[in-house]
Coordinates of all heavy atoms in Angstrom, one line a residue:
T355 N 2.4 -3.2 6.5 CA 3.0 -4.4 7.0 C 4.5 -4.2 7.3 O 5.1 -3.3 6.7 CB 2.9 -5.6 5.9 OG1 3.7 -5.2 4.8 CG2 1.5 -5.8 5.5
A356 N 5.0 -5.0 8.2 CA 6.4 -5.0 8.5 C 7.2 -5.6 7.4 O 6.8 -6.6 6.9 CB 6.7 -5.7 9.9
G357 N 8.4 -5.0 7.1 CA 9.2 -5.6 6.0 C 10.2 -6.6 6.4 O 10.7 -7.4 5.6
Q358 N 10.4 -6.8 7.7 CA 11.4 -7.7 8.2 C 11.0 -9.2 8.0 O 9.8 -9.5 8.2 CB 11.8 -7.5 9.7 CG 12.5 -6.2 9.9 CD 11.5 -5.1 10.3 OE1 10.3 -5.2 9.9 NE2 11.9 -4.1 11.0
E359 N 11.9 -10.0 7.7 CA 11.7 -11.4 7.5 C 10.9 -12.1 8.7 O 10.1 -12.9 8.5 CB 13.0 -12.1 7.2 CG 12.8 -13.6 6.7 CD 12.2 -13.6 5.3 OE1 12.6 -12.8 4.5 OE2 11.4 -14.5 5.1
R360 N 11.3 -11.7 9.9 CA 10.7 -12.4 11.1 C 9.2 -12.1 11.2 O 8.5 -12.8 11.9 CB 11.4 -11.9 12.3 CG 11.3 -10.5 12.8 CD 12.1 -10.3 14.1 NE 11.9 -8.9 14.6 CZ 12.6 -7.9 14.2 NH1 13.5 -8.0 13.2 NH2 12.4 -6.7 14.7
F361 N 8.7 -11.1 10.5 CA 7.3 -10.8 10.6 C 6.5 -11.4 9.3 O 5.3 -11.2 9.2 CB 7.0 -9.3 10.7 CG 7.5 -8.7 12.0 CD1 8.4 -7.7 11.9 CD2 7.1 -9.2 13.2 CE1 8.9 -7.1 13.1 CE2 7.6 -8.6 14.4 CZ 8.4 -7.6 14.3
R362 N 7.2 -12.0 8.4 CA 6.7 -12.4 7.1 C 5.5 -13.3 7.3 O 4.5 -13.2 6.6 CB 7.8 -13.0 6.2 CG 7.5 -12.9 4.8 CD 7.4 -11.5 4.2 NE 8.5 -10.6 4.7 CZ 9.6 -10.5 4.1 NH1 10.0 -11.3 3.1 NH2 10.5 -9.7 4.5
T363 N 5.6 -14.3 8.2 CA 4.5 -15.2 8.4 C 3.3 -14.6 9.0 O 2.2 -15.0 8.7 CB 4.9 -16.4 9.4 OG1 5.4 -15.8 10.6 CG2 6.0 -17.2 8.8
I364 N 3.4 -13.5 9.7 CA 2.3 -12.8 10.3 C 1.6 -12.0 9.1 O 0.4 -12.1 9.0 CB 2.7 -11.7 11.3 CG1 3.4 -12.4 12.5 CG2 1.5 -10.9 11.8 CD1 4.0 -11.5 13.5
T365 N 2.4 -11.3 8.3 CA 1.8 -10.5 7.3 C 1.2 -11.2 6.1 O 0.3 -10.7 5.5 CB 2.8 -9.4 6.8 OG1 4.0 -10.2 6.3 CG2 3.3 -8.5 7.9
T366 N 1.6 -12.4 5.8 CA 1.1 -13.1 4.7 C -0.4 -13.4 4.8 O -1.2 -13.4 3.9 CB 1.8 -14.4 4.4 OG1 1.9 -15.2 5.6 CG2 3.2 -14.2 3.9
A367 N -0.9 -13.5 6.1 CA -2.3 -13.7 6.3 C -3.1 -12.6 5.9 O -4.3 -12.7 5.6 CB -2.5 -14.0 7.8
Y368 N -2.5 -11.4 5.9 CA -3.3 -10.2 5.5 C -3.5 -10.0 4.1 O -4.2 -9.1 3.6 CB -2.6 -8.9 6.2 CG -2.8 -8.9 7.7 CD1 -2.0 -9.7 8.5 CD2 -3.7 -8.1 8.2 CE1 -2.2 -9.6 9.9 CE2 -3.9 -8.0 9.6 CZ -3.1 -8.8 10.4 OH -3.3 -8.8 11.8
Y369 N -2.8 -10.8 3.2 CA -3.0 -10.7 1.8 C -4.4 -11.1 1.4 O -5.0 -10.6 0.5 CB -2.0 -11.5 1.0 CG -0.6 -11.0 1.0 CD1 0.3 -11.4 1.9 CD2 -0.2 -10.1 0.0 CE1 1.6 -10.9 1.9 CE2 1.1 -9.6 -0.1 CZ 2.0 -10.0 0.9 OH 3.2 -9.6 0.8
R370 N -5.0 -12.1 2.2 CA -6.3 -12.6 1.9 C -7.3 -11.5 2.1 O -7.4 -10.8 3.1 CB -6.6 -13.8 2.8 CG -5.8 -15.0 2.5 CD -6.3 -16.2 3.2 NE -6.4 -16.0 4.7 CZ -5.4 -16.3 5.5 NH1 -4.3 -16.8 5.1 NH2 -5.6 -16.2 6.8
G371 N -8.1 -11.3 1.1 CA -9.2 -10.2 1.2 C -8.7 -8.9 0.7 O -9.5 -8.0 0.6
A372 N -7.4 -8.7 0.5 CA -6.9 -7.4 0.1 C -7.4 -7.1 -1.4 O -7.2 -8.0 -2.3 CB -5.4 -7.3 0.1
M373 N -8.0 -6.0 -1.6 CA -8.5 -5.7 -3.0 C -7.4 -4.9 -3.8 O -7.4 -5.0 -5.0 CB -9.7 -4.8 -2.8 CG -10.8 -5.5 -2.1 SD -12.1 -4.3 -1.6 CE -13.0 -4.2 -3.1
G374 N -6.5 -4.3 -3.0 CA -5.4 -3.6 -3.7 C -4.1 -3.7 -2.9 O -4.1 -3.7 -1.7
I375 N -3.0 -3.8 -3.6 CA -1.7 -4.0 -2.9 C -0.7 -3.0 -3.5 O -0.5 -2.9 -4.7 CB -1.2 -5.5 -3.0 CG1 -2.2 -6.4 -2.3 CG2 0.2 -5.6 -2.4 CD1 -2.0 -7.8 -2.6
I376 N 0.0 -2.3 -2.6 CA 1.0 -1.3 -3.0 C 2.4 -1.9 -2.6 O 2.7 -2.1 -1.5 CB 0.8 0.0 -2.2 CG1 -0.6 0.5 -2.5 CG2 1.9 1.0 -2.6 CD1 -1.1 1.6 -1.5
I377 N 3.2 -2.1 -3.7 CA 4.6 -2.6 -3.4 C 5.5 -1.4 -3.5 O 5.6 -0.7 -4.5 CB 5.0 -3.6 -4.5 CG1 4.0 -4.8 -4.5 CG2 6.4 -4.1 -4.2 CD1 4.3 -5.8 -5.6
V378 N 6.2 -1.1 -2.4 CA 7.0 0.1 -2.3 C 8.5 -0.3 -2.3 O 8.9 -1.2 -1.6 CB 6.7 0.8 -1.0 CG1 7.4 2.2 -0.9 CG2 5.2 1.1 -0.8
Y379 N 9.3 0.5 -3.0 CA 10.7 0.4 -2.9 C 11.3 1.8 -2.7 O 10.6 2.8 -2.9 CB 11.3 -0.3 -4.1 CG 11.3 0.5 -5.4 CD1 12.4 1.3 -5.7 CD2 10.3 0.4 -6.3 CE1 12.4 2.1 -6.9 CE2 10.3 1.1 -7.5 CZ 11.3 1.9 -7.8 OH 11.3 2.7 -9.0
D380 N 12.5 1.9 -2.3 CA 13.2 3.1 -2.1 C 14.1 3.4 -3.3 O 15.0 2.6 -3.6 CB 14.1 3.0 -0.8 CG 14.9 4.2 -0.5 OD1 14.9 5.2 -1.3 OD2 15.5 4.2 0.6
V381 N 13.9 4.6 -4.0 CA 14.7 4.9 -5.2 C 16.2 5.1 -4.9 O 17.0 5.1 -5.8 CB 14.1 6.1 -5.9 CG1 12.7 5.9 -6.3 CG2 14.3 7.4 -5.1
C382 N 16.5 5.2 -3.6 CA 17.9 5.3 -3.2 C 18.5 4.0 -2.7 O 19.7 4.0 -2.3 CB 18.0 6.4 -2.0 SG 17.3 8.0 -2.4
D383 N 17.7 2.9 -2.8 CA 18.2 1.6 -2.3 C 18.0 0.5 -3.4 O 16.9 0.1 -3.6 CB 17.4 1.3 -1.0 CG 17.8 0.0 -0.4 OD1 18.6 -0.8 -1.0 OD2 17.3 -0.3 0.7
Q384 N 19.1 0.1 -4.0 CA 19.1 -0.9 -5.0 C 18.5 -2.2 -4.6 O 17.7 -2.8 -5.3 CB 20.5 -1.1 -5.5 CG 20.7 -2.1 -6.6 CD 20.2 -1.6 -8.0 OE1 20.5 -0.5 -8.4 NE2 19.4 -2.4 -8.7
N385 N 18.8 -2.6 -3.4 CA 18.3 -3.9 -2.9 C 16.8 -3.9 -2.8 O 16.2 -4.9 -3.1 CB 18.9 -4.2 -1.5 CG 20.4 -4.6 -1.6 OD1 20.9 -5.0 -2.6 ND2 21.1 -4.4 -0.5
S386 N 16.2 -2.8 -2.3 CA 14.8 -2.8 -2.2 C 14.1 -2.8 -3.6 O 13.0 -3.4 -3.7 CB 14.3 -1.5 -1.4 OG 14.5 -0.3 -2.2
Y387 N 14.7 -2.2 -4.6 CA 14.3 -2.3 -5.9 C 14.4 -3.7 -6.5 O 13.4 -4.2 -7.1 CB 15.1 -1.3 -6.8 CG 14.8 -1.4 -8.3 CD1 13.7 -0.8 -8.9 CD2 15.7 -2.1 -9.1 CE1 13.5 -0.9 -10.2 CE2 15.5 -2.2 -10.5 CZ 14.4 -1.6 -11.0 OH 14.2 -1.7 -12.4
D388 N 15.5 -4.3 -6.2 CA 15.7 -5.7 -6.7 C 14.7 -6.7 -6.1 O 14.5 -7.7 -6.7 CB 17.2 -6.2 -6.3 CG 18.2 -5.4 -7.1 OD1 17.9 -4.8 -8.2 OD2 19.4 -5.4 -6.7
R389 N 14.2 -6.4 -5.0 CA 13.3 -7.3 -4.3 C 11.8 -7.1 -4.7 O 11.0 -7.9 -4.2 CB 13.5 -7.2 -2.8 CG 14.7 -8.0 -2.3 CD 14.8 -8.0 -0.8 NE 13.6 -8.3 -0.1 CZ 13.1 -9.5 0.0 NH1 13.7 -10.6 -0.5 NH2 12.0 -9.7 0.7
V390 N 11.5 -6.1 -5.5 CA 10.2 -5.9 -5.9 C 9.5 -7.1 -6.6 O 8.4 -7.5 -6.3 CB 10.1 -4.7 -6.8 CG1 8.7 -4.6 -7.5 CG2 10.3 -3.4 -6.1

Side-chain angles (χ1 to χ4, degrees):
T355 65
Q358 293 92 336
E359 189 68 39
R360 66 181 183 277
F361 296 123
R362 204 60 49 81
T363 54
I364 298 171
T365 57
T366 51
Y368 286 80
Y369 286 95
R370 295 192 299 272
M373 302 167 80
I375 297 169
I376 302 165
I377 303 176
V378 185
Y379 71 89
D380 178 352
V381 302
C382 305
D383 182 351
Q384 180 73 45
N385 288 335
S386 70
Y387 171 81
D388 291 342
R389 282 184 46 77
V390 167

